[in-house]
Amino acid sequence: MCGIVGIVSHSPVNQELYEALTVLQHRGQDAAGIATYEGGRFYLRKGRGLVRDVFETKDMLNLPGTMGIGHVRYPTSGCCASPAEAQPFYVNSPYGITLGHNGNLTNAEQLKQELFLQDQRHINTDSDSEVLLNVFAHELQRLGKLRLDVNDVFDAVTEVHRRCRGAYAVVAMITGFGILGFRDPFGIRPAVIGYRESPKGPEYMIASESVALDVLGFDLVRDIEPGEAVFIERNGRFHSRRCADQREPAPCIFEFVYFARPDSIIDQISVHKARLRMGEKLAEKILRLKPDHDVDVVIPIPDTSRTAAMELANRLKVKYREGFIKNRYIGRTFIMPGQTLRQRSVRRKLNPIDLEFKGKNVLLVDDSIVRGTTSRQIIQMAREAGAKKVYFASASPPVRYPYVYGIDMPAADELIAHGRSEAEVEALLGADWLIYQDLEDLVEAVGRGNPKLKRFETSCFSGQYVTGDITPEYLERLRLCRSEAGQKKLERATCASPLTDLISI
């Protein structure tokens, strides 16, 4: 999962790109980068770390220009966390292009071979984003034109859709011409368009989430449609075209469960309202299974589950309390590499308020249960704080299958629900009662916000992959890459040493 942003303005964009990336920081804390354009050349700064760590005042002064793109990275493919994989990526030929990408190409290995053997292009990192950039660059180069027009750009995107499989939301900048944004034919990863009027003319913004538009004073126009490309010229002229065959949209439902900010609107659905409805559905299930439940208090696992937990408590007519204080200077444990680091970070990240637990039957609410490491420790913390009984509710169904479209979930054998019944998971977690959201209820809770959407990408819950190209061989490669033992083995075999800790061009 990553965050992308692009701005075409009539005033310098460096500070606005920086602010947009800080708002999208929750989508990736591994690396950040900004590229701008002025006077016939690109200016690029990227590196490992949070936005605030990568960019200092001197870096911002060296990012002039009135159009630019930015990226925050959360590693999703490849087994090396090399600093060279920070985005945006750049190619000089043809025209000069920088590109940032959110998602995962499921045929990246095949494309690497094609690029090397047929297109005579070389890939320098393990990132599928660099693969996508080179596919796009090659399709532009094939046109053999000295000067591009908008239709040339859209024709190249059409070829990208023909060759690339998987999930991708992309923002790219072409030297002296403008900024491009497009989504895969299923619209798995999000991207929205913003507009504002300035004294010098129209200004546009593309971002992963609408909250980035809000912060900078852009009005949300709409989502980039699945298979659509939009192009904004330097002067603010806006163009769009459908570049892929019509597919039934299937946005990722995990965006609404966990990744997106609650104040965002994605595919015309309010994330906040979707999470309220998740709490409503959970309450209905609890009342159906145990109408005479003995829950004394509902306590969320901060932060993503708060909205669902509040509505759940309201529907159950029991108290809602904040029982955990969060250290906000530790990253999201789901994203952290290494089981030891995750286990160590949970108690450093959350501290219980004992009086909210002592002598009570507590219902803890979380957005999801992935490995179970965090959930198990939190349940134990609640018992140590004096809880009489500890119930645990997940706002999403059991995560049983690997996710291949840009969220780096663990290998299947590291998922606590993989191959296990809910009763078995309950025992492993040490809960007195475990309640999972039903998949049909989750789909209804999210989909109610936009009745036009008939389905969602739910593969981590259902095992059904919407792109239809996921084979057992692909999943085995993914298992080797994602499991911690397999990752170390592949790193020794295939990963080059990092080129540099911070990269500037």
Side-chain angles (χ1 to χ4, degrees):
M1 187 64 61
C2 301
I4 59 171
V5 60
I7 299 176
V8 175
S9 180
H10 296 284
S11 56
V13 295
N14 53 354
Q15 186 63 39
E16 292 196 322
L17 288 168
Y18 177 93
E19 291 175 8
L21 291 183
T22 61
V23 173
L24 297 174
Q25 186 76 85
H26 61 285
R27 299 187 68 85
Q29 294 119 44
D30 179 71
I34 291 175
T36 60
Y37 170 84
E38 184 179 68
R41 65 170 288 188
F42 283 131
Y43 297 84
L44 174 65
R45 170 65 174 174
K46 59 180 181 176
R48 293 288 301 275
L50 301 176
V51 175
R52 69 187 182 202
D53 299 323
V54 173
F55 300 100
E56 299 179 1
T57 301
K58 61 182 176 64
D59 303 313
M60 301 304 293
L61 294 174
N62 290 325
L63 290 168
T66 57
M67 73 173 183
I69 64 175
H71 187 272
V72 286
R73 176 179 182 268
Y74 154 53
T76 57
S77 69
C79 300
C80 295
S82 167
E85 294 187 3
Q87 299 182 42
F89 283 109
Y90 168 79
V91 290
N92 181 59
S93 176
Y95 313 112
I97 307 167
T98 57
L99 179 145
H101 161 230
N102 173 29
N104 184 48
L105 299 185
T106 54
N107 65 336
E109 293 303 315
Q110 173 192 334
L111 290 170
K112 284 180 184 179
Q113 294 297 314
E114 292 177 5
L115 287 166
F116 180 72
L117 297 173
Q118 300 173 25
D119 303 344
Q120 297 184 330
R121 284 184 168 268
H122 301 277
I123 305 300
N124 298 311
T125 71
D126 288 331
S127 174
D128 59 340
S129 302
E130 190 187 13
V131 173
L132 196 154
L133 168 60
N134 276 274
V135 170
F136 176 61
H138 176 74
E139 296 304 329
L140 282 178
Q141 194 164 33
R142 286 179 59 190
L143 299 173
K145 299 177 68 172
L146 292 177
R147 293 185 62 85
L148 289 175
D149 61 34
V150 173
N151 286 325
D152 296 328
V153 175
F154 289 154
D155 288 344
V157 174
T158 298
E159 291 304 304
V160 170
H161 288 314
R162 183 183 63 81
R163 296 181 65 180
C164 296
R165 299 287 179 268
Y168 45 91
V170 175
V171 64
M173 181 165 58
I174 302 175
T175 305
F177 192 14
I179 285 180
L180 167 71
F182 60 92
R183 290 172 81 186
D184 66 79
F186 294 94
I188 298 171
R189 300 264 67 87
V192 296
I193 306 164
Y195 171 86
R196 72 183 179 193
E197 190 66 42
S198 78
K200 295 182 180 180
E203 299 177 336
Y204 285 91
M205 180 174 175
I206 297 168
S208 293
E209 296 184 35
S210 64
V211 65
L213 312 180
D214 301 337
V215 168
L216 297 179
F218 284 82
D219 294 324
L220 173 61
V221 177
R222 60 178 176 85
D223 300 273
I224 297 178
E225 296 297 323
E228 181 190 24
V230 300
F231 190 80
I232 304 108
E233 296 185 58
R234 282 182 63 199
N235 60 11
R237 190 173 301 158
F238 180 90
H239 308 267
S240 68
R241 187 211 283 183
R242 176 171 290 281
C243 295
D245 295 337
Q246 183 72 44
R247 303 284 180 90
E248 185 178 358
C252 172
I253 206 163
F254 215 76
E255 288 278 355
F256 300 91
V257 170
Y258 177 75
F259 263 103
R261 275 182 42 154
D263 44 348
S264 284
I265 297 173
I266 296 176
D267 289 303
Q268 302 176 47
I269 299 171
S270 163
V271 176
H272 172 70
K273 288 187 176 180
R275 290 178 182 167
L276 284 175
R277 292 190 290 267
M278 291 177 206
E280 173 188 323
K281 290 292 185 180
L282 263 179
E284 290 174 359
K285 181 172 183 179
I286 289 171
L287 292 172
R288 187 168 64 249
L289 296 176
K290 289 190 178 182
D292 55 346
H293 67 83
D294 58 353
V295 175
D296 296 316
V297 61
V298 172
I299 294 177
I301 313 301
D303 285 314
T304 319
S305 63
R306 279 198 174 102
T307 309
M310 283 191 292
E311 185 61 17
L312 172 61
N314 180 52
R315 296 285 173 143
L316 293 183
K317 295 182 170 52
V318 300
K319 294 178 181 178
Y320 169 89
R321 290 289 185 267
E322 292 287 341
F324 293 100
I325 300 301
K326 181 179 179 181
N327 179 352
R328 300 185 181 278
Y329 302 98
I330 294 180
R332 302 171 95 170
T333 53
F334 169 54
I335 293 175
M336 286 183 177
Q339 188 78 338
T340 302
L341 180 57
R342 283 188 295 272
Q343 290 174 345
R344 191 167 62 239
S345 68
V346 174
R347 287 183 178 269
R348 294 178 181 176
K349 182 176 181 178
L350 296 175
N351 193 50
I353 302 173
D354 289 3
L355 63 87
E356 296 294 353
F357 294 88
K358 196 162 293 182
K360 298 176 183 177
N361 296 331
V362 178
L363 175 59
L364 303 178
V365 182
D366 208 349
D367 50 75
S368 58
I369 304 170
V370 183
R371 293 176 178 88
T373 308
T374 302
S375 304
R376 188 184 302 115
Q377 290 191 61
I378 288 173
I379 290 168
Q380 183 58 34
M381 288 165 65
R383 293 196 188 283
E384 292 171 1
K388 188 165 57 177
K389 291 182 182 178
V390 181
Y391 306 136
F392 201 96
S394 168
S396 61
V399 177
R400 301 189 189 278
Y401 305 95
Y403 191 86
V404 302
Y405 299 123
I407 300 175
D408 197 19
M409 285 187 177
D413 54 9
E414 293 178 3
L415 298 169
I416 192 170
H418 179 71
R420 294 189 177 100
S421 67
E422 294 184 18
E424 290 172 322
V425 176
E426 178 181 283
L428 284 171
L429 293 180
D432 293 296
W433 184 31
L434 174 64
I435 312 100
Y436 276 112
Q437 186 88 266
D438 293 331
L439 181 55
E440 55 269 27
D441 284 345
L442 175 62
V443 170
E444 201 280 331
V446 177
R448 199 189 307 172
N450 182 358
K452 293 180 181 178
L453 287 174
K454 303 304 180 185
R455 68 168 175 169
F456 291 87
E457 206 301 303
T458 63
S459 58
C460 61
F461 308 123
S462 65
Q464 299 174 359
Y465 298 94
V466 296
T467 54
D469 60 340
I470 306 304
T471 64
E473 292 77 18
Y474 181 88
L475 292 176
E476 175 61 15
R477 167 72 185 178
L478 202 66
R479 185 189 70 79
L480 287 174
C481 193
R482 287 181 175 176
S483 68
E484 292 174 17
Q487 201 171 82
K488 291 176 183 177
K489 180 179 178 181
L490 284 172
E491 282 176 356
R492 288 193 299 269
T494 62
C495 291
S497 299
L499 299 177
T500 177
D501 193 40
L502 292 175
I503 301 171
S504 295
I505 297 175

